[in-house]
Amino acid sequence: MPKDYSQFTVLAVDDVPLNLLLVEKMLTRYKFNVKKANSGSEALEMIHAELPSVVLLDLLMPNMDGYEVLSRLRSNPQTKDLPVIILTALNSDADIIRGFKAGANDFITKPIIMDKLVKSIEKQLEKRDIE
């Protein structure tokens, strides 16, 4: 039986509706409260309206890519420590290094493996509780 994470909100950010649906299906099995944004600017608006527990962030999006979203989050005192997990099809060493340098807490490549995603979120939640 999956754990109950209903007290935690995960914001999934991706410009592909199918990817958002897939993440939502995976995480609702664990009772995460899943919110979805289909652009970087929508994600920033949602984050400033209500701070999620964790953000799952795609890098390849039109207008404002994930690196820009991450940069804005890290430069804002209210969101500088918000756990951000990059969830992307990009998988080169350069992309991964750039993601971590930009301030990502973890980097997961697509296709998404549910167990790996959930473990990464759990790790971020545990770190947050310790700090």
Side-chain angles (χ1 to χ4, degrees), residues 110-124:
K110 296 173 183 171
I112 304 163
I113 298 166
M114 186 171 67
D115 288 348
K116 187 174 182 179
L117 178 60
V118 171
K119 289 250 182 304
S120 178
I121 294 170
E122 286 174 336
K123 191 167 110 185
Q124 297 311 317

Side-chain angles (χ1 to χ4, degrees), residues 60-111:
L60 298 173
M61 294 183 291
N63 304 323
M64 185 188 304
D65 68 15
Y67 294 115
E68 175 67 19
V69 173
L70 195 50
S71 168
R72 291 186 186 201
L73 291 174
R74 293 302 177 239
S75 64
N76 181 326
Q78 280 87 33
T79 57
K80 68 179 179 55
D81 296 322
L82 179 64
V84 177
I85 299 168
I86 291 176
L87 202 54
T88 185
L90 297 177
N91 62 4
S92 74
D93 288 347
D95 293 320
I96 295 168
I97 290 167
R98 184 175 172 202
F100 281 116
K101 278 189 173 172
N105 297 82
D106 204 352
F107 196 106
I108 296 177
T109 55
K110 296 173 183 171

Side-chain angles (χ1 to χ4, degrees), residues 1 4 7 10 15 43 49 54 80 87 105-106 110 125 131:
M1 187 76 203
D4 181 350
Q7 75 269 34
V10 175
D15 60 316
V54 176
K80 68 179 179 55
L87 202 54
N105 297 82
D106 204 352
K110 296 173 183 171
L125 295 173
E131 291 172 356

